[in-house]
Amino acid sequence: MDHTAQERDDYLNLMIGKIVRADVWLEQQMQFLYRAFLGPSIAARRLTPDNFRDLAEGARRMMASIEDDADRDLANGALTRARAAHKRRAEIVHDMWLHRGESGTESMAWDALRMVPSGRPQTLTDADLATALSDLNRSAISIGMLAQKIQAETLQIPPDDDEMWSARELSAGIAGDIIFLSDGGRVFRFPWQEGPGS
């Protein structure tokens, strides 16, 4: 089937919109992961970064706290794939794509208006768009499942003082590879081992 110029343009716009939405979902799951590491803290929402780069870097550092080697490898693999999917989204969204105008084929292809350093145009196909969308959706699911696993494990072993969580404003943060929550006197390091306050 030979697609009309309008059909090609509509398809590209539709897929770019789906890719943007999938990336928003992935970023929301990254925020969920970040907060899962911080634990049930009043301050966790305020301390969660609002951009993908800082979310990914914070998650990478916090993943060093995962004690089981296999679990840590799986977590780092999921984060690596999420970063790659987000990067591909940026490459697709932040370029101007010109249809090649080929006829007699069912596939569609576009060339970037901006030229790569080699001088050859960068190409985007309908298959590339579908792959980018799939990678973002799969990454969002993986990161979300990882966050649920971490949240479930940390919530099973919180400090016993329930009043501390609801009645006091806690501070939280990351220092190196250590995640800490403090109420001014006690410091809890992931996974909730109480230590001396500072």
Side-chain angles (χ1 to χ4, degrees):
M1 173 183 176
D2 190 10
H3 301 280
T4 67
Q6 185 63 55
E7 288 172 338
R8 295 188 300 257
D9 191 54
D10 288 346
Y11 179 79
L12 178 61
N13 290 337
L14 173 66
M15 290 302 290
I16 286 176
K18 287 184 174 183
I19 285 168
V20 169
R21 289 181 63 188
D23 188 63
V24 170
W25 182 32
L26 174 57
E27 188 166 324
Q28 288 174 340
Q29 296 308 300
M30 291 289 292
Q31 291 173 342
F32 179 25
L33 175 64
Y34 198 96
R35 291 177 186 142
F37 273 115
L38 290 180
S41 164
I42 297 169
R45 182 169 293 274
R46 287 201 325 266
L47 292 166
T48 302
D50 60 1
N51 65 80
F52 189 93
R53 184 191 64 200
D54 290 344
L55 285 166
E57 180 56 25
R60 183 194 66 77
R61 290 189 293 157
M62 290 187 277
M63 283 176 184
S65 299
I66 299 174
E67 295 179 359
D68 183 81
D69 290 344
D71 285 349
R72 189 170 56 252
D73 289 344
L74 285 172
N76 282 317
L79 181 60
T80 297
R81 289 188 295 277
R83 281 177 145 164
H86 178 75
K87 180 181 178 185
R88 184 59 176 145
R89 184 275 323 170
E91 294 168 351
I92 291 171
V93 170
H94 294 292
D95 220 328
M96 177 62 69
W97 298 100
L98 306 177
H99 189 72
R100 285 182 169 184
E102 296 173 350
S103 60
T105 177
E106 290 188 12
S107 63
M108 292 180 266
W110 298 263
D111 290 329
L113 182 61
R114 174 180 51 82
M115 305 294 270
V116 297
S118 66
R120 292 178 292 135
Q122 181 179 356
T123 302
L124 180 71
T125 67
D126 48 355
D128 294 330
L129 290 167
T131 298
L133 179 59
S134 176
D135 289 348
L136 284 163
N137 285 329
R138 290 172 66 175
S139 288
I141 291 169
S142 295
I143 293 295
M145 290 176 68
L146 175 62
Q148 289 178 355
K149 182 178 189 317
I150 290 169
Q151 186 178 54
E153 289 175 358
T154 57
L155 287 176
Q156 289 172 3
I157 48 173
D160 293 332
D161 187 356
D162 293 334
E163 183 182 349
M164 182 186 78
W165 298 112
S166 59
R168 296 183 185 172
E169 180 101 2
L170 300 179
S171 62
I174 306 168
D177 289 329
I178 297 174
I179 306 145
F180 65 88
L181 294 171
S182 172
D183 66 352
R186 293 174 290 179
V187 175
F188 300 92
R189 291 178 174 81
F190 183 83
W192 308 117
Q193 296 172 340
E194 186 172 353
S198 54

